[in-house]
Amino acid sequence: MSQQPQTPTDPGPNGPQLDEMLDSLMGWNRSFIHTLKDGFLYPERVAGAVLQQDNTRYANPVRLMVFLFGIYMTLTVLIAGPDAQNVESFAPAGPEILDAWLIGQGTNLEEVNAVWSFWLQVFIWPITVLSALPYALLFKAYAPKRTLYGAVLVYLTTINSMMAVQNILTLILMPFISNEANLILSLILVIVYYFYVTGRVLSAHYASTLTGTLLKLFSFVLLTPVTLILTLLLQIVTLDQVLEHRFDLNVTDIIELRGDTAP
């Protein structure tokens, strides 16, 4: 894979100043619609604007990600309920056994789920950023002369297109299929769409031939299980800290809970 990027290999955007970062985390911006439209139709243009440090045509990728992710979390709660992410998903034992064990520890399953749901919403941002870092590192590896921050922004342009499609699919599928099936089907479809968008960005800015594009895109596909495992591990670490500081418990105790026996 010796292909050179088609866009100029300038360093790209540097890390943001504090005021720029705070501004990026604000709410709706009227440029969102234009950015999303081109993100659907011409994702390579949005990525190209990031690489050229053109801040006039499109919304800041960080700001747009915060907005879209907020919509997705709201839809998830509306579809699957506030306990879509619950402690039971980490425990082999059934909820009745887990609840009985927690009562013996001075709490109960409902209270633990409420606390975990709250703190997961707080930490979902660093978990998402850290688990996605391998993708950004790939963009950086394929254009070493560009900055890591620029690679992160390019990655966010692809993620924003994917998240926008996921929100739309979730709304469209909501009246027709069950809540769980809705989330699973929309997730599968948007993963396929994500690789399509990433392929177009790679073709325009990171490869000069079709073979080079396909090989680099395949590396993104191979990296997907790694990011999923990393996301799970980060959630387990976060849950462990929540249990330890709030309930003086350990996530290992819950994972090791079997049948009617306690650790």
Side-chain angles (χ1 to χ4, degrees):
M1 296 190 295
S2 59
Q3 295 79 10
Q4 298 296 321
Q6 296 178 9
T7 52
T9 55
D10 56 272
N14 294 313
Q17 299 297 321
L18 178 60
D19 56 341
E20 294 175 349
M21 178 62 74
L22 293 176
D23 182 61
S24 297
L25 297 177
M26 299 302 290
W28 169 262
N29 185 290
R30 58 186 176 183
S31 63
F32 284 2
I33 295 296
H34 177 59
T35 306
L36 289 174
K37 177 180 70 68
D38 277 11
F40 289 140
L41 301 176
Y42 313 105
E44 64 277 8
R45 291 184 185 176
V46 183
V50 167
L51 293 173
Q52 297 167 13
Q53 304 183 63
D54 182 356
N55 302 319
T56 60
R57 288 185 291 167
Y58 300 113
N60 183 286
V62 178
R63 177 186 295 180
L64 185 56
M65 181 196 69
V66 172
F67 176 78
L68 292 171
F69 205 92
I71 293 178
Y72 174 72
M73 294 305 298
T74 301
L75 290 175
T76 300
V77 171
L78 291 175
I79 293 174
D83 293 333
Q85 293 285 347
N86 52 54
V87 179
E88 295 98 298
S89 59
F90 298 95
E96 297 83 5
I97 295 173
L98 179 58
D99 189 32
W101 181 77
L102 288 172
I103 290 174
Q105 307 302 312
T107 183
N108 58 69
L109 185 57
E110 181 179 0
E111 181 182 6
V112 172
N113 272 335
V115 173
W116 167 235
S117 178
F118 170 79
W119 284 109
L120 181 60
Q121 300 303 315
V122 173
F123 285 103
I124 193 66
W125 297 111
I127 289 175
T128 301
V129 171
L130 289 175
S131 62
L133 186 58
Y135 285 120
L137 292 176
L138 264 186
F139 278 117
K140 170 65 175 174
Y142 291 144
K145 294 183 180 180
R146 294 173 181 159
T147 65
L148 177 59
Y149 179 65
V152 171
L153 292 185
V154 170
Y155 168 70
L156 289 181
T157 63
T158 62
I159 281 295
N160 287 340
S161 296
M162 183 192 76
M163 290 175 59
V165 169
Q166 185 164 18
N167 289 338
I168 293 172
L169 281 175
T170 301
L171 287 171
I172 292 175
L173 296 175
M174 189 185 301
F176 304 105
I177 59 179
S178 66
N179 296 340
E180 183 177 355
N182 185 336
L183 294 174
I184 293 175
L185 179 58
S186 62
L187 180 60
I188 293 174
L189 292 176
V190 297
I191 288 176
V192 174
Y193 177 76
Y194 169 75
F195 289 126
Y196 164 74
V197 169
T198 301
R200 291 187 59 166
V201 171
L202 289 171
S203 177
H205 305 294
Y206 292 87
S208 58
T209 66
L210 177 60
T211 301
T213 299
L214 292 177
L215 289 175
K216 291 176 179 178
L217 181 60
F218 185 62
S219 65
F220 278 80
V221 175
L222 292 178
L223 197 60
T224 299
V226 176
T227 61
L228 294 176
I229 293 173
L230 185 57
T231 300
L232 177 60
L233 291 176
L234 290 172
Q235 288 191 15
I236 291 175
V237 171
T238 304
L239 175 60
D240 184 67
Q241 293 301 305
V242 170
L243 292 175
E244 180 179 349
H245 290 88
R246 180 61 176 81
F247 302 102
D248 196 25
L249 298 174
N250 192 291
V251 71
T252 306
D253 296 337
I254 292 178
I255 294 175
E256 293 179 350
L257 190 62
R258 298 288 192 280
D260 56 357
T261 62

